[in-house]
């Protein structure tokens, strides 16, 4: 099969994550083990990667770029870096507030590069929210950072494995607040953004979306709660009239079975712990976090900074590899859709 010329390979920006965590480790090991059909650019301090490679016993060809357009197709063992200098040398396993501005700068430059079309997608290893917030800057997460940077009115959190995709109507809310947050507006915004990005970024012409009910047994005709009758069903019916292919609301305890999942493109859960435990059980360490509803493509790993594993060589890079591959696939699909 003929391959696309290198010039058509998407340019993927990869931020370095928390420098004291496993972000540098998984970048180095993933790019040292595998060749990706893309031009991969690490936004990082080159010295951080060189020192971590030495600690891990990795021989990597670390090349510094002047601009994104200088990037060549990735090949195993080659690390192309767009340099951003840290304020202080990082020590694996030891957080340092002095480098918080550096972490935020990598995200800022990645987002700006995507907005300027210098990058086709962003992949983000984990950051440490606590150390970032200690600077006085409120940092609630990558999702909110890029939402603000792109001035996007609404974004959707999706996690994906090879077997399933799960998106969320609400994300990090206390369980007692979820019911009030399930409204016609919130469901409609999420479903429309999800449907659009499945078309534009995943190449699904007519997405089929499974929708969870909120209550056990999807409310059992109102006996176990009325949110389905009062809000969810009427909203889904309106969206169906607009041409969307929505199945449900279905009981969450039966939706996540092959009978339904094998014939659908995505499941939509009403709250965080309704859908994500199933997905993480089936694919933790090989799942990817995807932000939908942005004008740019952003994927991320499904785990945290694992400060205690930094520099030990024990960090699992599986999720990063999946996040990179998803970013490549989504960038290629977006290019096809725009033609």
């Amino acid at each position: 099969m003929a391959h696309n010329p290198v010039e058509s390979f998407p340019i993927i920006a990869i931020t370095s994550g928390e420098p004291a965590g496993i972000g540098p480790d998984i970048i180095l090991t993933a790019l040292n083990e595998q060749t990706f059909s893309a031009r991969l650019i690490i936004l990082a301090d080159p010295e951080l990667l060189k020192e971590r490679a030495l600690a891990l016993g990795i021989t990597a060809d670390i090349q510094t770029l002047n601009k994104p357009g200088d990037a060549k197709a990735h090949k195993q063992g080659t690390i192309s870096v767009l340099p951003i200098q840290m304020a202080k040398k990082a020590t694996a396993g030891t957080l340092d507030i002095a480098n918080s501005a550096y972490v935020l700068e990598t995200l800022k430059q990645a987002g700006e590069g995507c907005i300027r079309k210098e990058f086709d997608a962003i992949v983000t290893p984990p950051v440490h929210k606590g150390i970032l917030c200690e600077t006085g800057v409120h940092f609630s997460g990558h999702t909110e950072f890029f939402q603000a940077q792109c001035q996007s009115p609404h974004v959707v959190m999706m996690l994906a494995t090879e077997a399933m995709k799960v998106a969320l109507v609400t994300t990090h809310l206390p369980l007692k607040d979820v019911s009030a947050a399930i409204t016609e507006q919130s469901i409609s915004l999420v479903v429309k953004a999800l449907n659009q990005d499945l078309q534009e970024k995943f190449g699904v012409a007519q997405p089929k979306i499974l929708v969870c009910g909120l209550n056990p047994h999807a409310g059992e005709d109102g006996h176990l709660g009325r949110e389905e009758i009062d809000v969810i069903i009427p909203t889904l019916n309106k969206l169906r009239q607009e041409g969307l292919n929505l199945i449900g609301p279905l009981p969450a305890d039966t939706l996540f079975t092959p009978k339904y999942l094998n014939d659908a493109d995505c499941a939509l859960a009403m709250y965080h712990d309704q859908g994500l435990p199933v997905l993480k059980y089936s694919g933790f360490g090989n799942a990817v976090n995807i932000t939908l509803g942005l004008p740019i493509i952003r994927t991320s790993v499904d785990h945290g900074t694992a400060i205690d594993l930094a520099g030990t060589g024990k960090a699992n890079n599986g999720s990063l590899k999946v996040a990179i591959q998803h970013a490549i696939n989504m960038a290629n699909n977006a290019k096809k859709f725009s033609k």
Side-chain angles (χ1 to χ4, degrees):
M1 181 182 294
H3 293 281
N4 292 329
V6 170
E7 291 75 16
S8 69
F9 281 4
I11 300 178
I12 311 296
I14 305 175
T15 57
S16 54
E18 165 53 49
I22 62 170
D25 304 42
I26 59 177
I27 290 170
L28 288 162
T29 58
L31 272 58
N32 203 50
E33 293 170 359
Q34 181 175 335
T35 295
F36 294 90
S37 297
R39 290 171 283 177
L40 304 181
I41 299 178
I42 315 304
L43 277 65
D45 190 322
E47 293 306 311
L48 168 66
L49 297 179
K50 290 176 183 177
E51 290 170 5
R52 195 61 60 85
L54 184 63
L56 296 173
I58 292 174
T59 302
D61 182 11
I62 298 174
Q63 303 176 352
T64 302
L65 306 176
N66 292 317
K67 59 183 186 300
D70 293 340
K72 298 179 181 179
H74 173 254
K75 63 179 181 179
Q76 185 177 348
T78 300
I79 315 288
S80 297
V81 183
L82 199 62
I84 301 174
Q85 190 171 5
M86 291 188 299
K88 189 176 176 182
K89 179 179 177 179
T91 300
T94 304
L95 294 169
D96 193 330
I97 195 172
N99 285 322
S100 292
Y102 157 81
V103 174
L104 294 173
E105 184 64 20
T106 65
L107 300 180
K108 177 175 175 285
Q109 290 195 28
E112 289 177 349
C114 255
I115 292 168
R116 291 194 300 264
K117 308 297 184 185
E118 294 173 342
F119 306 128
D120 296 301
I122 302 168
V123 177
T124 57
V127 298
H128 194 284
K129 296 178 186 177
I131 199 71
L132 295 179
C133 290
E134 284 185 23
T135 65
V137 176
H138 176 66
F139 184 88
S140 55
H142 285 101
T143 301
E144 294 80 6
F145 180 92
F146 291 122
Q147 180 182 8
Q149 187 180 45
C150 295
Q151 299 181 353
S152 297
H154 194 79
V155 294
V156 178
M157 180 179 176
M158 171 196 279
L159 266 76
T161 65
E162 291 300 318
M164 72 176 82
K165 298 179 181 68
V166 179
L168 306 175
V169 176
T170 63
T171 54
H172 301 116
L173 282 182
L175 194 57
K176 66 181 178 60
D177 297 333
V178 170
S179 177
I182 302 298
T183 64
E184 178 180 345
Q185 181 183 31
S186 66
I187 294 172
S188 295
L189 286 171
V190 169
V191 169
K192 288 179 180 179
L194 175 59
N195 188 76
Q196 180 175 332
D197 275 6
L198 285 171
Q199 291 176 324
E200 296 181 6
K201 297 173 183 175
F202 287 89
V204 181
Q206 295 179 311
K208 183 176 181 180
I209 301 170
L210 304 175
V211 182
C212 292
L214 174 64
N215 296 294
H217 301 180
E220 196 79 76
D221 296 325
H223 295 291
L224 296 177
R226 291 196 55 86
E227 286 86 353
E228 287 77 13
I229 292 173
D230 294 340
V231 179
I232 299 174
I233 292 172
T235 302
L236 297 185
N237 285 337
K238 287 184 180 180
L239 292 168
R240 290 186 184 104
Q241 291 174 3
E242 297 179 25
L244 280 72
N245 186 3
L246 308 172
I247 310 301
L250 297 170
D253 62 348
T254 54
L255 182 153
F256 292 102
T257 58
K259 173 185 175 181
Y260 292 107
L261 292 176
N262 291 348
D263 191 37
D265 299 297
C266 185
L268 179 62
M270 290 293 133
Y271 57 95
H272 187 280
D273 282 11
Q274 183 182 54
L276 297 193
V278 181
L279 181 136
K280 291 193 175 186
Y281 175 76
S282 71
F284 188 73
N286 290 291
V288 55
N289 187 339
I290 302 168
T291 306
L292 305 180
L294 296 172
I296 64 176
I297 294 168
R298 179 256 169 171
T299 69
S300 181
V301 296
D302 69 344
H303 57 74
T305 53
I307 298 295
D308 58 321
L309 296 180
T312 67
K314 297 178 181 179
N316 186 334
N317 62 24
S319 183
L320 181 66
K321 288 181 178 179
V322 176
I324 293 171
Q325 192 57 57
H326 266 80
I328 294 169
N329 295 344
M330 291 171 70
N332 287 333
N333 285 325
K335 286 183 178 180
K336 292 177 184 176
F337 187 87
S338 64
K339 289 182 180 179

